[in-house]
């Protein structure tokens, strides 16, 4: 937008005075922040209304991205960047004696997601709006997001996340757009003059109240909507529940149970728990979202049969897969369509993304729970299942194994992935290798049945948040050197390669990285009182804590290094700082035990004079979007070391690459595509391939003892986990020991250990050649444009959603 510094200052001072009845000299920092936020909100509002009116007027096909999670991170700086007024605002505030960066830190970071899946949804929102696509988000307004992590004596403690304690600046409540969601009760099908109709009795009705957040594009005109629903007790219900009789307890219990639905985000990133409340959350936002979409569609006055020409609905993993049943219900029961028409519309409207092949993450609801919670949906799903079995048995005759593997209801469970696949016209994985595994193994039978539905869409990240916002100096350099064509097409980052032999550019890269490292040095000193060396290699593994992500492999190498240095304190190694950031699901004992190990090892190493500060270990508490924005721009080495075949894609790998780190990786997920881009000389690859892992799993031929017996270094490390080296309590690391000795090292940590050590040595050698290292960084940055979510979204738009970019002027 066009805004002069003086105009901004005038607007700001006025806003501050009108809202808080104070001048800039008296106002608290908090009020200064709030006034800025409210002003920026004003700047956005007009375009928001215009965007919506335009979509309706032109009847644009609109996409709704249904997701349990949206991990947005702080929004104020993104709004400033996308409005293109950050510099003006910063200068204007400085004139008033206010530091913009200090105000930005005051914004709460809404953590409405667990990890990659939620952050991907947020990156997609940014790309949709920035490219001018009509695409919105639909989810839940959790009162409490992902827990805040505190480390106490090396253990993870979970604290309640209370991001709504202060009013959230960016949401607008829309009570007039409330819809009703029905749970439980009994449904009978009754013959009426209008045909068969469901009659409900004894069910519970809940209000879904929308809160809208503007998603502002960088294209200066599009403002899409993220609509999050909150669960409330309907007003009529309040009387019916005891107020009249003075039975307040009954009323309070009821209100509590209803509001529970949008109280808190489940903190599991990759395991399915089968909790009733979770099922209610899923149906709650899906039903509310679909009802809202249908209401909006009616205003277009188009035939219901053309629904999928105007609406596309994307389901982000199986959490919203119940949409298949709910859309059918709305079309059959509310719109009065016949089965075949309703089914045709449903399949054409829905598309599904799979984010994992881990068996323990698959959503399978107990049949009885499902039936009690959403009886009408279960009826419909049973009919979908019946028809599906009929179709399959026609095709495969008596091959019951095929029916068993693909049908929805099986063994007393409702299998949500099967429902999603059968009810969608498109099914995609999130990286090439992941999609191949889906097609060839996990979903092979479905692939044979519906080959045309399967496609790959490799994940991406928005360079606006992960480069422009998190690493502004590097962004400036890339744009300046690679040309303005980068602004609209990140693939043009490749022009940066021209500077591969330009010592000035390489020096500048070095300086920028160093400054980013110094920021982290200051942060760590201030927060943990640990001194770290900005000249050391910053080796970073930040992501959720999980067995398959193998933080344990990383720690084992650190212990190995420690042992070497203890044996020979004179050993000449390149100084390194190992950073970890990771939350463990509260009930995941192994993961929590690994956190304790990292902190115990850190404590020993950081305080051992023999080590002479050659290595340091830092655990960054409460890893989330905000900490990521601090640490990723400072990373030299990006640890992407999952057991091959387990990480569907990974997106942190892309963020590090874009910020000029060198990837140390297994050939898993999108690492494979990063490798294809940068080539053998600009990445360090090690370990089992996914084929090797899958073969070992299939043949059950892996025995960790074979490895252990022939590797004294590993023997020593495992001994140290119970001999008091890292904890006085010799039982301390029993979950980890059981993971190896009891479960047999299911993620092949021991198997890949020596390859990993070797790869780490290679990193040292590469790093010692300063120029060579900087050239590797440059190559990585140049190729990172490929992994912008703008590219991913363009492909979704073209192949799956069939939507076009909208330019309001035209
Ligand atoms: C999640 O973050 C991911 C997968 C899930 O499967 C659930 C959650 Cl919360 C149900 C991650 C994948 O692990 C990661 O590889 C991928 O990059 C990310 O989703 C986005 O696709």
């Amino acid at each position: 937008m066009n805004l002069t510094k003086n105009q901004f200052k005038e607007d700001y001072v006025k806003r501050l005075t009108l809202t808080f009845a104070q001048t800039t000299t008296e106002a608290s920092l908090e009020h200064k922040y709030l006034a800025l936020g409210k002003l920026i909100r004003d700047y956005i509002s007009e375009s928001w209304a215009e965007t919506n009116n335009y979509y309706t007027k032109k009847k644009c096909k609109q996409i709704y991205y249904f997701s349990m999670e949206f991990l947005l991170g702080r929004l104020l700086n993104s709004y400033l960047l996308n409005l293109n007024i950050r510099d003006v605002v910063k200068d204007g505030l400085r004139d008033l004696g206010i530091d913009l960066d200090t105000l930005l830190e005051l914004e709460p970071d809404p953590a409405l997601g667990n990890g990659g899946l939620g952050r991907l949804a947020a990156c997609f929102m940014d790309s949709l709006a920035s490219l001018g696509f009509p695409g919105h988000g639909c989810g839940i307004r959790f009162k409490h997001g992902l827990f805040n992590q505190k480390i106490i004596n090396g253990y993870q403690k979970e604290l309640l996340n209370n991001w709504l304690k202060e009013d959230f600046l960016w949401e607008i409540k829309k009570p007039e757009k409330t819809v009703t969601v029905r749970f439980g009760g009994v449904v009978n099908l009754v013959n009426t003059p209008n045909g068969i109709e469901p009659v409900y009795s004894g069910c519970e009705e809940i209000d879904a109240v929308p809160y809208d957040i503007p998603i502002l594009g960088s294209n200066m005109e599009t403002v899409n909507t993220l609509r999050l629903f909150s669960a409330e007790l309907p007003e009529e219900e309040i009387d019916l529940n005891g107020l009249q009789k003075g039975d307040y307890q009954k009323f309070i219990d009821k209100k509590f149970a209803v509001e529970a639905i949008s109280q808190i985000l489940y903190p599991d990133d990759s395991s399915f728990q089968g909790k009733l409340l979770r099922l209610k959350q899923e149906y709650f936002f899906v039903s509310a979202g679909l009802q809202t979409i249908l209401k909006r569609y009616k205003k277009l006055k188009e035939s219901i049969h053309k629904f999928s020409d105007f609406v596309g609905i994307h389901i982000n993993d199986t959490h919203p897969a119940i949409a298949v049943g709910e859309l059918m219900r709305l079309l059959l029961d509310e719109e009065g369509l016949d089965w075949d028409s309703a089914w045709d519309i449903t399949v054409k409207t829905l598309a599904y993304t799979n984010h994992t092949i881990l068996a323990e993450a698959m959503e399978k609801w107990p049949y009885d729970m499902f039936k009690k919670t959403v009886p009408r949906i279960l009826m419909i799903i049973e009919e979908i299942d019946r028809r599906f079995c009929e179709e399959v048995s026609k095709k495969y005759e008596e091959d019951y194994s095929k029916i068993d593997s693909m049908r929805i209801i099986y063994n007393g469970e409702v299998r949500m992935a099967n429902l999603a696949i059968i009810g969608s016209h498109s099914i995609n994985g999130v990286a090439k290798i992941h999609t191949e595994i889906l097609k060839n193994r996990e979903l092979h039978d479905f692939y044979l049945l519906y080959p045309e539905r399967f496609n790959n869409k490799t994940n991406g990240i928005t360079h606006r948040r992960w480069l422009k916002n998190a690493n502004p100096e590097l962004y400036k350099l890339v744009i300046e050197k690679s040309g303005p064509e980068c602004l609209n097409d990140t693939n043009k980052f490749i022009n940066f390669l021209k500077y591969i032999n330009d010592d000035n550019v390489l020096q500048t890269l070095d300086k920028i990285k160093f400054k980013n490292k110094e920021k982290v040095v200051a942060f760590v000193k201030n927060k943990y009182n640990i001194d770290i060396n900005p000249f050391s290699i910053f080796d970073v593994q930040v992501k959720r804590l999980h067995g398959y992500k193998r933080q344990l492999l990383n720690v084992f190498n650190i212990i190995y290094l420690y042992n070497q240095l203890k044996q020979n304190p004179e050993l000449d190694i390149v100084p390194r700082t190992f950073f970890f950031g990771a939350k463990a699901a509260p009930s995941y004992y192994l993961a929590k035990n690994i956190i304790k190990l990292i902190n115990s090892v850190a404590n020993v190493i950081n305080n051992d004079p023999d080590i002479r500060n050659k290595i340091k270990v830092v655990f960054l508490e409460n890893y989330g979007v905000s900490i990521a924005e601090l640490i990723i721009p400072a990373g030299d080495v990006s640890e992407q070391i999952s057991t091959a075949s387990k990480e569907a894609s990974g997106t942190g790998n892309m963020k590090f690459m874009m910020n000029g780190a060198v990837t140390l990786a297994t050939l898993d997920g999108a690492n494979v595509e990063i490798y294809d881009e940068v080539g053998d000389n600009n990445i360090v690859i090690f370990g089992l391939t996914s084929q090797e892992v899958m073969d070992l799993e299939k043949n059950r031929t892996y025995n960790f003892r074979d490895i252990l017996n022939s590797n004294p270094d590993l023997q020593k490390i495992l001994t140290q986990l119970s001999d008091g080296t890292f904890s006085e309590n010799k039982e301390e690391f029993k979950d980890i020991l059981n993971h190896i000795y009891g479960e047999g090292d299911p993620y092949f940590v021991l198997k890949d250990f020596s390859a990993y050590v070797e790869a780490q040595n290679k990193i040292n050698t590469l790093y010692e050649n300063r120029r060579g290292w900087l050239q590797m960084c440059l190559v990585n940055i140049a190729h990172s444009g490929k992994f912008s979510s703008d590219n991913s979204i363009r492909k979704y738009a073209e192949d799956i959603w069939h939507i076009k970019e909208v330019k309001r002027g035209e």
Side-chain angles (χ1 to χ4, degrees):
M1 71 183 275
N2 286 322
L3 182 71
T4 63
K5 187 170 80 171
N6 285 336
Q7 182 65 51
F8 166 72
K9 281 160 70 178
E10 193 183 307
D11 291 353
Y12 181 70
V13 172
K14 192 165 157 197
R15 202 70 173 82
L16 187 72
T17 324
L18 289 182
T19 317
F20 298 112
Q22 278 170 327
T23 64
T24 44
T25 39
E26 305 151 343
S28 67
L29 267 182
E30 183 68 24
H31 283 173
K32 286 175 185 158
Y33 153 69
L34 288 172
L36 178 61
K38 284 168 196 274
L39 177 62
I40 300 308
R41 206 170 64 184
D42 293 349
Y43 291 160
I44 297 169
S45 295
E46 233 172 300
S47 296
W48 198 3
E50 282 169 23
T51 305
N52 276 323
N53 291 338
Y54 191 83
Y55 290 163
T56 312
K57 194 175 89 195
K58 295 283 167 152
K59 299 191 175 183
C60 304
K61 179 169 183 184
Q62 301 189 47
I63 298 306
Y64 299 88
Y65 196 83
F66 276 40
S67 179
M68 188 64 115
E69 312 187 359
F70 289 91
L71 201 42
L72 297 172
R74 290 176 176 143
L75 294 175
L76 178 51
N77 199 45
S78 289
Y79 287 138
L80 292 175
L81 289 172
N82 284 354
L83 287 167
N84 201 15
I85 58 172
R86 192 186 194 275
D87 292 342
V88 167
V89 167
K90 191 170 169 68
D91 292 350
L93 287 174
R94 194 189 298 118
D95 288 357
L96 299 168
I98 301 169
D99 175 42
L100 173 63
D101 295 314
T102 311
L103 297 191
L104 295 177
E105 287 290 315
L106 295 176
E107 183 178 353
D109 174 351
L112 304 183
N114 273 286
L117 170 145
R119 183 54 231 174
L120 184 74
C123 284
F124 281 5
M125 289 296 107
D126 184 71
S127 285
L128 279 164
S130 294
L131 297 174
F133 286 114
H136 314 281
C138 174
I140 300 179
R141 179 181 180 267
F142 294 108
K143 182 161 178 207
H144 305 290
L146 186 64
F147 64 85
N148 287 324
Q149 180 193 55
K150 275 277 321 156
I151 301 296
I152 297 177
N153 293 328
Y155 299 102
Q156 167 174 300
K157 291 281 175 281
E158 298 84 13
L159 307 183
L160 195 70
N161 165 299
N162 204 4
W163 68 291
L164 288 171
K165 195 165 68 185
E166 257 57 73
D167 281 355
F168 185 59
L169 269 181
W170 312 115
E171 63 180 10
I172 299 186
K173 184 174 181 176
K174 303 269 173 73
E176 74 284 3
K177 296 197 167 150
T178 297
V179 293
T180 304
V181 178
R182 209 187 275 134
F183 285 103
V186 180
V187 185
N188 287 302
L189 295 183
V190 178
N191 267 314
T192 72
N194 301 327
I196 298 175
E197 277 182 16
V199 174
Y200 295 78
S201 58
C203 41
E204 172 185 27
E205 300 202 324
I206 288 172
D207 276 356
V209 185
Y211 288 73
D212 289 352
I213 297 173
I215 305 293
L216 170 72
S218 62
N219 65 351
M220 313 285 236
E221 60 170 68
T222 305
V223 185
N224 291 330
T225 302
L226 171 57
R227 174 161 289 181
L228 301 178
F229 291 96
S230 178
E232 288 186 14
L233 186 63
E235 253 167 54
E236 318 81 76
E237 289 280 312
I238 295 177
D239 281 350
L240 303 175
N241 277 286
L243 272 197
Q244 288 170 338
K245 287 176 258 151
D247 188 349
Y248 296 134
Q249 192 59 49
K250 199 167 161 195
F251 157 70
I252 289 166
D253 291 349
K254 177 79 192 181
K255 185 168 175 349
F256 187 81
V258 168
E259 290 173 3
I261 294 177
S262 55
Q263 273 294 306
I264 187 155
L265 167 78
Y266 276 93
D268 304 295
D269 61 325
S270 43
S271 70
F272 173 64
Q273 301 242 1
K275 293 279 197 286
L276 173 63
L277 183 57
R278 172 77 171 196
L279 178 59
K280 285 188 163 182
Q281 291 182 340
E282 296 184 357
Y283 183 65
F284 169 73
F285 88 91
V286 165
S287 177
L290 290 177
Q291 290 185 58
T292 306
I293 292 166
L294 249 129
K295 271 195 187 166
R296 197 180 282 180
Y297 182 68
K298 295 249 162 101
K299 293 196 186 140
L300 297 181
K301 305 275 177 227
E302 291 285 340
S303 155
I304 191 71
H305 294 277
K306 288 193 184 165
F307 188 70
S308 68
D309 294 343
F310 297 92
V311 174
I313 293 168
H314 205 90
I315 51 188
N316 197 22
D317 213 84
T318 58
H319 319 139
I322 202 167
V324 178
E326 177 67 0
L327 185 52
M328 282 298 284
R329 182 188 73 82
L330 291 166
L331 295 172
L332 294 168
D333 297 354
E334 307 290 325
E335 302 303 315
L337 292 185
D338 62 279
W339 183 277
D340 289 334
S341 307
W343 184 245
D344 183 57
I345 294 169
T346 298
V347 174
K348 279 187 183 150
T349 303
L350 298 176
Y352 157 61
T353 297
N354 173 291
H355 293 266
T356 185
I357 59 162
L358 296 187
E360 65 270 28
M362 293 301 158
E363 291 194 294
K364 297 174 186 167
W365 293 104
Y367 179 91
D368 294 329
M369 182 193 285
F370 206 98
K371 182 164 186 171
K372 264 195 204 135
T373 313
V374 280
R376 177 64 183 141
I377 302 302
L378 183 81
M379 270 183 187
I380 292 170
I381 291 177
E382 285 189 308
E383 178 62 12
I384 297 172
D385 196 39
R386 193 188 64 74
R387 287 170 184 248
F388 176 75
C389 292
E390 213 172 77
E391 173 192 335
V392 174
S393 49
K394 256 188 234 148
K395 186 156 177 171
Y396 297 110
E397 287 169 10
E398 302 290 277
D399 188 348
Y400 291 108
S401 74
K402 280 233 151 61
I403 300 182
D404 287 353
S405 84
M406 289 191 285
R407 65 178 304 175
I408 303 165
I409 300 171
Y410 185 71
N411 247 336
E413 291 176 327
V414 185
R415 300 187 292 197
M416 301 307 271
N418 301 43
L419 176 65
I421 294 165
I422 295 167
S424 302
H425 68 279
S426 167
I427 298 129
N428 74 280
V430 289
K432 273 184 196 156
I433 191 177
H434 169 62
T435 302
E436 287 308 307
I437 293 173
L438 291 177
K439 291 197 297 192
N440 300 331
R441 292 173 42 107
E442 308 301 316
L443 304 178
H444 186 63
D445 285 343
F446 278 119
Y447 178 56
L448 294 178
L449 186 64
Y450 305 129
E452 71 290 349
R453 293 190 185 185
F454 283 77
N455 62 95
N456 176 246
K457 293 287 167 284
T458 299
N459 284 165
I461 56 165
T462 169
H463 62 288
R464 287 167 291 273
R465 178 171 292 266
W466 297 108
L467 187 61
K468 192 179 184 183
N469 153 74
N471 199 347
E473 291 205 29
L474 181 56
Y475 176 75
K476 248 186 259 152
L477 181 70
V478 173
I479 298 298
E480 184 192 307
K481 298 298 173 191
S482 320
E485 63 264 41
C486 293
L487 294 172
N488 294 319
D489 181 2
T490 56
N491 297 305
K492 303 280 159 54
F493 281 14
I494 202 73
N495 297 344
F496 199 39
L497 277 183
K498 279 191 303 221
Y499 299 88
I500 185 89
N501 289 313
D502 183 322
D503 286 310
N504 269 326
V505 171
L506 294 175
Q507 286 304 315
T508 313
L509 276 183
D510 200 17
K511 270 191 212 137
I512 292 171
K513 182 65 79 181
F514 189 76
K515 274 203 216 163
N516 293 335
K517 288 164 90 168
E518 279 189 314
K519 267 195 217 158
V520 172
V521 170
F523 177 87
V524 169
K525 176 71 184 167
N526 175 31
K527 196 141 188 214
Y528 304 111
N529 197 25
I530 301 176
D531 292 296
I532 53 179
N533 172 4
F535 294 98
S536 65
I537 300 179
F538 276 27
D539 179 312
V540 190
Q541 186 171 20
V542 284
K543 50 182 80 250
R544 285 299 288 259
L545 215 139
H546 199 287
Y548 84 78
K549 295 180 188 281
R550 296 202 295 192
Q551 281 92 353
L552 196 55
L553 179 57
N554 190 341
V555 189
F556 279 9
N557 173 61
I558 296 171
I559 298 177
Y560 166 76
L561 273 177
Y562 171 70
N563 290 339
Q564 287 218 308
L565 284 167
K566 283 300 273 186
Q567 232 175 34
N568 177 11
E570 304 296 319
L571 196 74
D572 187 27
I573 66 159
V574 190
R576 265 220 214 203
T577 308
F578 294 93
F579 291 91
F580 291 87
K583 288 180 182 175
S587 60
Y588 190 178
Y589 295 106
L590 171 67
K592 290 185 138 179
N593 207 212
I594 295 172
I595 289 180
K596 173 65 179 167
L597 178 62
I598 296 168
N599 284 296
S600 303
V601 168
N603 200 25
V604 169
I605 291 182
N606 297 348
N607 297 305
D608 187 331
D610 286 349
I611 301 305
R612 303 181 190 175
N613 298 327
K614 283 179 187 163
I615 56 177
K616 284 268 159 93
V617 181
V618 177
F619 189 96
L620 298 167
E621 262 174 344
N622 204 35
Y623 179 68
V625 176
S626 292
I627 301 285
E629 289 168 4
L630 173 74
I631 188 67
I632 292 175
D636 294 312
V637 177
S638 161
E639 296 265 3
Q640 308 300 337
I641 60 177
S642 53
T643 310
S645 81
K646 306 289 178 195
E647 189 71 273
S649 163
T651 43
N653 45 5
M654 302 164 184
K655 295 165 197 167
F656 278 102
M657 175 194 195
M658 191 173 274
N659 283 279
V662 172
T663 310
L664 170 53
T666 50
L667 285 176
D668 197 16
N671 300 345
V672 177
E673 287 155 77
I674 293 178
Y675 173 71
D676 289 345
E677 279 296 305
V678 302
D680 217 14
N681 293 328
N682 298 291
I683 187 168
V684 178
I685 298 290
F686 75 97
L688 294 169
T689 63
S690 63
Q691 193 57 54
E692 288 166 340
V693 168
M694 293 187 295
D695 288 347
L696 285 173
E697 285 174 341
K698 196 167 153 205
N699 310 331
R700 299 163 182 264
T701 46
Y702 174 54
N703 186 345
F704 73 95
R705 291 201 184 269
D706 299 342
I707 308 285
L708 198 54
N709 290 338
S710 60
N711 190 329
D713 295 325
L714 268 174
Q715 285 165 24
K716 175 160 181 180
I717 292 165
L718 284 169
T719 311
Q720 287 170 311
L721 295 193
S722 57
D723 72 356
T725 308
F726 299 113
S727 168
E728 278 165 30
N729 175 2
K730 298 188 176 171
E731 301 272 276
E732 188 75 79
F733 303 114
K734 65 175 190 318
D735 293 310
I736 295 170
L737 290 168
N738 181 55
H739 180 68
I740 304 291
Y741 291 104
E743 293 173 50
D745 187 22
Y747 298 115
F748 306 98
V749 171
L750 304 195
K751 178 94 179 155
D752 272 344
F753 177 74
S754 46
Y756 182 62
V757 170
E758 209 178 294
Q760 283 287 25
N761 286 332
K762 187 167 173 196
I763 292 274
N764 282 334
T765 314
L766 291 168
Y767 194 82
E768 283 192 298
N769 171 2
R770 281 313 297 152
R771 192 160 190 275
W773 183 269
L774 291 168
Q775 288 177 316
M776 289 172 74
C777 296
L778 184 141
V779 171
N780 273 276
I781 297 163
H783 284 278
S784 71
K786 166 113 196 256
F787 298 100
S788 168
S789 46
D790 289 1
N791 279 336
S792 316
I793 283 299
R794 284 194 183 100
K795 290 185 185 124
Y796 275 89
E798 180 159 342
D799 301 346
I800 303 179
W801 300 330
H802 310 297
I803 51 168
K804 293 227 154 50
E805 302 175 13
V806 171
K807 299 229 163 42
R808 250 192 276 140
E810 290 166 12

